[in-house]
Amino acid sequence: MMLRSLLRALSHPRVFFFCCIWLIVLLTVGTIAQRDLGLYLAQEKYFSSWFLFVGFLPLPGGRLTMLLTFINLALFHTKKTLWRPKKIGVLITHFGALLLLVGGFLTAYFSSEGTMVINEGETVSFVSSDEVKELVLADQNHPDYDEITAIPEALLKVGSTLTHPNIPGSFEVLEYYRNCRPVPRKNQDSGPYRGLAERFELERIPEAQERQQNRAGIVLKVSGIDEQNDGIYALYERSPMLQTLSDGQRTVALVLRRERTYLPFSLELLDFQQNLHPGTGMAKSYRSIVNLHQGETSRRVVIQMNEPLRLAGRTFFQASFFKGNNTETTVLQVVKNYGRMFPYISSIIMCIGLLIHLVIKVPGLIAKKKSESNA
Amino acid sequence: MLGIPKFRLLPAILGIGLVGCGNPEITVYQVPKAPQPPAQAAAAPQPAQAAPSAGILWKVPPGWIEKPASGMRLASFEMPTADGKGDCSIITLAGDGGGTLNNLNRWRSQLGLDPIPPSELDSAMSTRTGGFGDYSFFRIVNPEVDEKAFLVSIIHTDRGALFVKLTASRRSIDSLTEPFQALSDSIHIPDE
């Protein structure tokens, strides 16, 4: 009985109406907040969240609002009274809106963005995530390859204990920071401290507006190896100090870094070219001339502004570059988005639905108008 | 079930199902060791490198890129930092190089800091031991200046004074302290 009432309530047109108004409010507030928070923090707080807290008051976030809209629209299609020829335009339009939300969910959960940084003459076969980190144990003892054990950020929750055949002993996550800095150690109560943690501790700092500027950090308690290696370790992104761990049989390097996704092909930067507007120092265009190595074949590809490389479900955009004394480096933005076609397809479907509804309704409206004016 | 057509539950199940996907797990894979191009080879940990004329050696910290020496610079290094890059140089000057306090106050003025009197010199520096024995280490930071901060080592030798100076943003200076000190500690004359 309760379930029936709940479903009836969720299918009411008022749900759609209030969800749309709330989405407009979120969009307005989130857009203004972006000025101070930056694009990604504002997106996380207002649009990608389930709940938004104003003080202690929880309000629906963008994700929850869109889920309710999806359920409402989907329940709409289950109403038998709507499945009539005269309502076909309405059904198609609502289906288009539903498809738009499906595309949104696919983008939210299955898309990824990252960067490929390639020096001239270098070949790179992985994309580094812009947002997600990983803790990696790199066994570099083999002559031909490195064996990488990657622990995703989602498993690095404070209080969790990590075990795996490739992890020496066990790791307990004591602290995890999305942005931090190393400061001289003051607290010597716990311990023993190893490596960087002997002289430094990590201090949480506010997240940067540009997420690439964040420096994640983690403090781990390692147990179960031996007296020399058990202890508390601190790692942070881009640390110049390499942390190693040994269990007597092998030594592994511990690194906290942006999550890498290895591709079934590699890109070798042959040349980076920058064209300036004549007589100015302003860039007109950049382009990367790369060798695409795919299996046994290689081919020359040019990636430049407005002409990305599309391959294997990913799009490689020319994003940025930097110049050193002796070398140039290209930065490619790599986007994988399964939902990228949904806005186009759903917009076309909604237009078709509206047109059909118009064609069905207009003759009747004209006839009604005529009879009213005759009366 | 409750007299509700089952398909009416489908949207809610689909909606909740869509948001509940994906279980993270630890993955293991192998990455072939690739030959390093010259730029990366320069950045890799290097054995001690001879200075072009001074006959002294040092160990380049991992991740630092050594650039060609020029002018008074025996060595130049560049290293990536969280917000850009840092620059480090080793130069040699005759005698005591103009005096520790004079040089310290000159660097302080570059960051907008007031000079310090001789009585405060000892508290402004720390003493470390390297290839030439004890040397002085300074961390010079102005909390109101974000774009620049300095780490400096002054090493007195019988051939003159060696100045090892690193310039980076204030945010990056802490993370560069250990490798900078390792570089300073490593400077020595090779055994003949």
Side-chain angles (χ1 to χ4, degrees):
Chain A
M1 200 61 182
M2 249 186 78
L3 189 59
R4 185 199 289 272
S5 305
L6 178 64
L7 287 177
R8 191 174 290 126
L10 283 175
S11 66
H12 200 285
R14 264 193 224 122
V15 171
F16 183 81
F17 175 72
F18 285 115
C19 281
C20 282
I21 292 186
W22 185 241
L23 282 173
I24 292 170
V25 170
L26 284 178
L27 195 65
T28 307
V29 173
T31 304
I32 295 168
Q34 184 191 319
R35 188 187 60 179
D36 295 322
L37 294 178
L39 170 65
Y40 295 104
L41 281 179
Q43 187 179 328
E44 218 174 77
K45 183 175 178 182
Y46 293 97
F47 310 129
S48 302
S49 60
W50 291 102
F51 290 98
L52 168 66
F53 285 89
V54 178
F56 290 106
L57 178 68
L59 297 173
R63 217 164 257 196
L64 178 61
T65 311
M66 284 188 273
L67 175 64
L68 289 173
T69 311
F70 175 84
I71 293 172
N72 176 264
L73 281 174
L75 286 172
F76 172 85
H77 284 85
T78 64
K79 290 188 177 174
K80 289 181 194 171
T81 52
L82 288 171
W83 288 89
R84 286 183 284 174
K86 281 193 176 177
K87 296 288 183 183
I88 189 76
V90 173
L91 283 167
I92 291 173
T93 305
H94 282 77
F95 177 71
L98 205 63
L99 215 56
L100 187 64
L101 290 169
V102 169
F105 280 124
L106 286 176
T107 300
Y109 282 90
F110 299 106
S111 73
S112 62
E113 261 189 62
T115 44
M116 268 181 108
V117 178
I118 318 173
N119 296 320
E120 251 177 13
E122 188 188 23
T123 303
V124 173
S125 62
F126 61 85
V127 178
S128 296
S129 168
D130 283 348
E131 194 174 344
V132 183
K133 316 293 179 192
E134 60 181 5
L135 177 63
V136 149
L137 289 85
D139 182 348
Q140 299 169 315
N141 298 303
H142 303 270
D144 303 319
Y145 61 86
D146 294 336
E147 186 172 83
I148 306 293
T149 305
I151 306 171
E153 189 179 25
L155 293 180
L156 301 175
K157 303 283 183 215
V158 174
S160 61
T161 299
L162 304 164
T163 55
H164 186 272
N166 281 13
I167 294 177
S170 67
F171 292 175
E172 183 190 347
V173 180
L174 299 180
E175 295 162 27
Y176 186 82
Y177 306 106
R178 287 180 66 165
N179 196 17
C180 68
R181 63 177 181 186
V183 295
R185 175 166 291 287
K186 292 169 210 151
N187 176 13
Q188 295 281 352
D189 294 341
S190 308
Y193 296 100
R194 305 287 183 207
L196 179 83
E198 285 177 29
R199 290 162 60 180
F200 291 95
E201 56 187 15
L202 301 181
E203 180 184 73
R204 185 189 304 275
I205 53 176
E207 288 184 51
Q209 282 201 4
E210 296 296 326
R211 57 189 177 179
Q212 290 92 333
Q213 291 174 351
N214 286 332
R215 180 162 50 186
I218 190 168
V219 179
L220 298 169
K221 184 175 178 184
V222 177
S223 326
I225 307 179
D226 55 42
E227 229 176 83
Q228 280 97 13
N229 286 279
D230 286 354
I232 296 175
Y233 293 75
L235 305 163
Y236 60 94
E237 260 188 287
R238 303 185 294 280
S239 166
M241 184 173 168
L242 189 66
Q243 184 66 69
T244 56
L245 204 56
S246 176
D247 63 359
Q249 293 172 343
R250 61 188 185 130
T251 301
V252 294
L254 277 178
V255 179
L256 185 66
R257 67 182 189 192
R258 291 159 68 187
E259 187 180 75
R260 288 188 184 179
T261 303
Y262 281 85
L263 306 170
F265 53 86
S266 59
L267 296 179
E268 177 191 359
L269 180 64
L270 298 173
D271 189 24
F272 177 81
Q273 295 170 355
Q274 179 191 15
N275 295 325
L276 301 175
H277 285 287
T280 74
M282 285 175 53
K284 184 179 170 186
S285 66
Y286 319 132
R287 49 195 233 148
S288 301
I289 301 171
V290 300
N291 229 352
L292 167 62
H293 301 291
Q294 215 170 354
E296 297 296 321
T297 61
S298 298
R299 62 183 169 103
R300 190 171 170 280
V301 173
V302 177
I303 303 172
Q304 56 189 336
M305 290 155 71
N306 299 321
E307 289 184 34
L309 166 68
R310 295 184 200 278
L311 185 64
R314 288 181 168 84
T315 309
F316 296 75
F317 297 93
Q318 177 67 66
S320 181
F321 72 98
F322 46 94
K323 285 187 174 189
N325 272 345
N326 302 316
T327 188
E328 288 172 323
T329 302
T330 190
V331 180
L332 305 177
Q333 189 72 16
V334 185
V335 177
K336 184 175 178 180
N337 183 4
Y338 292 114
R340 73 179 186 278
M341 296 304 295
F342 277 77
Y344 306 108
I345 297 169
S346 58
S347 300
I348 291 168
I349 291 172
M350 282 192 281
C351 284
I352 292 171
L354 287 169
L355 275 170
I356 292 172
H357 189 65
L358 195 68
V359 165
I360 292 170
K361 279 292 191 185
V362 161
L365 288 170
I366 294 172
K368 188 179 174 187
K369 189 78 181 167
K370 272 186 182 169
S371 66
E372 278 174 3
S373 56
N374 289 338
Chain B
M1 187 166 69
L2 292 166
I4 301 163
K6 284 181 190 157
F7 65 80
R8 291 208 87 188
L9 290 173
L10 198 56
I13 294 166
L14 265 179
I16 291 160
L18 269 176
V19 305
C21 301
N23 278 327
E25 51 184 34
I26 298 174
T27 52
V28 181
Y29 54 90
Q30 292 171 355
V31 176
K33 286 190 198 286
Q36 287 178 338
Q40 265 196 341
Q46 299 223 351
Q49 222 145 321
S53 60
I56 60 172
L57 298 176
W58 53 81
K59 191 170 175 194
V60 182
W64 288 28
I65 301 166
E66 190 159 9
K67 301 187 292 184
S70 62
M72 287 164 59
R73 288 191 171 204
L74 295 180
S76 257
F77 308 95
E78 206 171 81
M79 72 293 301
T81 63
D83 52 4
K85 57 185 179 189
D87 174 82
C88 181
S89 61
I90 303 176
I91 65 170
T92 182
L93 293 171
D96 66 355
T100 301
L101 184 64
N102 287 338
N103 280 301
L104 174 61
N105 283 331
R106 179 168 55 83
W107 297 320
R108 286 176 63 89
S109 71
Q110 289 173 2
L111 294 179
L113 292 167
D114 293 333
I116 60 169
S119 55
E120 290 180 28
L121 180 60
D122 282 343
S123 58
M125 71 183 196
S126 57
T127 303
R128 295 183 58 84
T129 305
F132 283 97
D134 288 350
Y135 69 89
S136 308
F137 167 74
F138 301 87
R139 180 178 176 275
I140 309 169
V141 173
N142 183 345
E144 292 170 23
V145 173
D146 289 336
E147 55 277 350
K148 237 183 346 183
F150 301 139
L151 297 174
V152 184
S153 295
I154 302 180
I155 304 169
H156 293 285
T157 78
D158 55 357
R159 305 171 187 208
L162 289 169
F163 290 80
V164 189
K165 185 180 170 206
L166 182 145
T167 307
S169 69
R170 185 169 61 85
R171 282 173 57 194
S172 305
I173 214 74
D174 286 331
S175 64
L176 292 170
T177 300
E178 274 222 25
F180 176 83
Q181 287 175 339
L183 170 68
S184 302
D185 290 350
S186 73
I187 298 175
H188 68 283
I189 296 174
D191 296 330
E192 292 176 17

